[in-house]
Amino acid sequence: VGMDVGVNVDVDAGFGQSSQNAWTMNDLTKESNHSNTDASNDGPQNNWLEGVRVGIPEAFSINECPPQILEAWGRTISRLEKSGATIHTISEKNISPTSVKMSLAAYYVISCAEASSNLARYDGLKFGESVCPNEEILNQDKSNNNWNLREMIVASTRAKGFGNEVKRRVLAGTAVLSSDQFHTFYEAAAAVRAAISSELNDAFDKDEDNDYGVDLILIPTTITDPPSIDLDSSTPDSTEAFQNDIMTTPISLAGLPSISIPVQNSNKHGHPVAGMQIIGRKKAEQKILHAANVLMKCDD
């Protein structure tokens, strides 16, 4: 039985070998969900971005971003300009560096809280395969003398059915939803989500503080090189993996559509050293996919 892990941070996503694949997948998703996006079944029509305004937020130029990622970012900006797009800097007064950095913690507070709440249904009674209590659970019951049969079945089912990462998120989510921590953590995270969502959405609107209003935003996807797919390579710990999400969590909290594409650095024949994400306002999938198509053809 499938169930949502997070309500507000879960989104449809997919992988493709090209922007054309992503375009096709988006059309299929749109049709199945009867969504009113601006995507078209015709796919990308040309390799030109004349009149498209692309924003570069200063707030995402964080100190942790290494030189090779910054170089790939700059090369991508140059490709956009050569394709006809105009580049606009989004100042820190429009998108705050504080909001960006706090988004990482806010995202994990909210996602863990929702995981804890939603996965509470996975009990082996209504949802999931029921697992008989093992010897460890039975011995624990004898020592505590306060577990009934239902609680033992639930504990056994969740212990076997959840992986280590899921267990970490459920435990963290349970903690932040406790009565003595809810106001400190969850409500604060919700306030950060509202702030970054407002700032990102305002960047697309033309007003007295933003005299241009951008069509798209371009930022790196991560602050590290892509990990190796070698199964023998060392796996970064959870903390390092969480920190690497600082570029994507603000977009997820704001609920904006985006696409991440590989961008090669100065070594044309090397592996892609960076992912760049193109972000648009809600229901702007066509512009996002078109820009991705142009950039990927520049690397051909």
Side-chain angles (χ1 to χ4, degrees):
V1 177
M3 63 180 72
D4 291 332
V5 174
V7 177
N8 294 301
V9 292
D10 267 3
V11 295
D12 292 332
F15 294 89
Q17 292 183 323
S18 68
S19 57
Q20 182 65 61
N21 293 153
W23 196 294
T24 302
M25 182 191 66
N26 181 73
D27 282 340
L28 293 174
T29 305
K30 178 191 68 172
E31 291 172 3
S32 63
N33 292 336
H34 304 289
S35 174
N36 185 27
T37 68
D38 67 355
S40 165
N41 289 323
D42 297 333
Q45 297 297 313
N46 56 62
N47 299 325
W48 199 243
L49 295 173
E50 185 68 39
V52 176
R53 301 179 298 274
V54 179
I56 310 298
E58 292 179 336
F60 285 85
S61 299
I62 60 176
N63 294 332
E64 294 81 0
C65 204
Q68 66 270 24
I69 303 296
L70 293 175
E71 181 184 348
W73 194 3
R75 287 169 58 86
T76 306
I77 292 171
S78 297
R79 289 168 183 159
L80 288 170
E81 287 182 307
K82 291 178 181 177
S83 300
T86 57
I87 305 300
H88 303 269
T89 300
I90 301 176
S91 69
E92 293 182 355
K93 74 175 183 179
N94 296 107
I95 298 179
S96 165
T98 301
S99 297
V100 171
K101 292 182 178 180
M102 292 179 66
S103 293
L104 183 61
Y107 174 85
Y108 280 105
V109 167
I110 292 171
S111 63
C112 289
E114 292 182 350
S116 173
S117 177
N118 290 345
L119 291 177
R121 294 174 289 174
Y122 190 89
D123 55 7
L125 301 174
K126 292 183 178 180
F127 291 91
E129 179 182 355
S130 182
V131 177
C132 294
N134 57 29
E135 186 175 349
E136 180 182 354
I137 297 292
L138 293 173
N139 291 336
Q140 188 168 356
D141 176 51
K142 292 177 181 178
S143 62
N144 293 334
N145 197 30
N146 60 356
W147 281 27
N148 57 39
L149 179 60
R150 182 186 184 280
E151 291 171 332
M152 287 190 287
I153 292 175
V154 172
S156 299
T157 299
R158 292 164 70 84
K160 183 177 180 181
F162 291 164
N164 290 333
E165 180 60 33
V166 175
K167 291 176 183 176
R168 277 193 290 266
R169 297 199 180 205
V170 168
L171 289 172
T174 302
V176 301
L177 288 176
S178 61
S179 59
D180 58 336
Q181 301 291 339
F182 181 82
H183 298 291
T184 303
F185 292 103
Y186 190 84
E187 288 189 348
V192 172
R193 176 176 60 187
I196 191 63
S197 178
S198 175
E199 291 173 9
L200 285 170
N201 279 286
D202 287 348
F204 297 107
D205 298 325
K206 185 175 181 179
D207 56 31
E208 58 183 16
D209 295 324
N210 182 10
D211 60 357
Y212 43 84
V214 299
D215 299 305
L216 301 170
I217 293 174
L218 177 76
I219 58 176
T221 306
T222 65
I223 57 174
T224 62
D225 293 335
S228 172
I229 61 173
D230 184 0
L231 296 179
D232 295 329
S233 62
S234 59
T235 303
D237 61 39
S238 298
T239 303
E240 291 179 1
F242 291 164
Q243 291 174 343
N244 207 28
D245 290 340
I246 191 170
M247 295 293 193
T248 56
T249 50
I251 316 307
S252 296
L253 289 178
L256 297 175
S258 65
I259 187 171
S260 177
I261 60 173
V263 175
Q264 291 184 337
N265 213 330
S266 55
N267 182 4
K268 182 67 177 179
H269 303 289
H271 292 293
V273 298
M276 290 291 139
Q277 55 178 331
I278 305 167
I279 305 145
R281 67 171 74 239
K282 293 180 180 178
K283 300 184 179 180
E285 283 83 354
Q286 184 178 17
K287 285 183 179 178
I288 295 170
L289 290 166
H290 178 62
N293 182 68
V294 171
L295 286 174
M296 293 192 73
K297 287 191 174 182
C298 287
D299 264 346
D300 287 346

